[in-house]
Amino acid sequence: MLDFYPKFGFKPVEEHLFSMDYTAKKRSVPADIRKLDVTNTEDVRLLSTFASERRPVSQHFATAQTKGILMFYCLNVFSHDIYYLEKENVIVVYQKEGNTINLFDVISLNEIHMTDILHQITDEDTQEITFHFTPDPVENMMLKSTITNEGLFVKPHGEKLYPVHVKHPITSIA
């Protein structure tokens, strides 16, 4: 399959998976997180509204107009991993595996502060966060980058090249 795309002018590109070491801070109040249920009409309506009107997850590199593919991922791939953070009015798609949080998407109608989101979804066992998109650099957030070879192909337009040192958001990959 990987030899198929070059026949049509597509070129493989290098992606970077970003992660950071994390030490949870003590919370004075428990996190106000509600797991969304994709079989609940109201939860799907909330998710659909956020998907339609979302702000980019990153100012550095993000996709736009991807409601359909985001909804596909939410309903079929991450249906058990979608949470609504009431205080921040944000939907977060993530999984916790051991001491690592795999953060797949942060869907918001307003500007977010990633450190606030991380503070809500982590617990005292969290030691690492892996971002499956390109996060914006944040003060006190030291990002590590690992090259991934997941078979992303792009079709260049003239001399325009794909940006370097980015991760295409996992919830908008077709």
Side-chain angles (χ1 to χ4, degrees), residues 14-18 60-61 133-135 143-147 162-168:
E14 185 177 86
E15 284 194 289
H16 290 257
L17 190 62
F18 297 93
H60 183 68
F61 184 84
F133 55 87
T134 305
L143 292 172
K144 298 182 280 184
S145 172
T146 307
I147 296 172
Y162 190 77
V164 295
H165 211 69
V166 297
K167 170 70 177 102
H168 191 282

Side-chain angles (χ1 to χ4, degrees), residues 22-162:
Y22 190 83
T23 303
K25 296 177 175 68
K26 282 244 187 236
R27 285 191 202 116
S28 55
V29 184
D32 194 8
I33 299 176
R34 180 170 63 89
K35 187 172 188 169
L36 296 184
D37 178 357
V38 298
T39 65
N40 178 298
T41 305
E42 289 304 313
D43 284 354
V44 173
R45 187 174 294 129
L46 176 72
L47 186 57
S48 179
T49 299
F50 272 66
S52 294
E53 302 172 18
R54 78 174 299 170
R55 292 190 53 141
V57 70
S58 169
Q59 297 303 310
H60 183 68
F61 184 84
T63 56
Q65 312 267 327
T66 58
K67 175 189 176 184
I69 195 119
L70 172 61
M71 290 300 292
F72 171 82
Y73 275 97
C74 288
L75 298 174
N76 298 291
V77 179
F78 299 118
S79 59
H80 301 291
D81 308 308
I82 308 166
Y83 302 87
Y84 180 56
L85 282 63
E86 308 251 356
K87 180 180 171 192
E88 282 80 13
N89 195 29
V90 164
I91 294 174
V92 183
V93 182
Y94 73 96
Q95 294 172 347
K96 182 158 194 245
E97 293 179 22
N99 296 336
T100 300
I101 296 274
N102 284 293
L103 185 55
F104 300 111
D105 207 343
V106 178
I107 310 161
S108 177
L109 306 179
N110 304 303
E111 183 177 332
I112 62 163
H113 299 282
M114 188 61 73
T115 51
D116 293 341
I117 304 303
L118 298 179
H119 184 61
Q120 294 296 311
I121 66 171
T122 56
D123 60 24
E124 59 278 350
D125 296 335
T126 306
Q127 296 177 359
E128 182 178 42
I129 298 170
T130 301
F131 299 87
H132 294 267
F133 55 87
T134 305
D136 287 329
V138 176
E139 188 178 321
N140 299 326
M141 200 163 111
M142 297 299 297
L143 292 172
K144 298 182 280 184
S145 172
T146 307
I147 296 172
T148 67
N149 187 8
E150 296 178 359
L152 180 64
F153 287 82
V154 298
K155 189 166 188 173
H157 296 288
E159 295 300 313
K160 291 183 181 179
L161 300 175
Y162 190 77

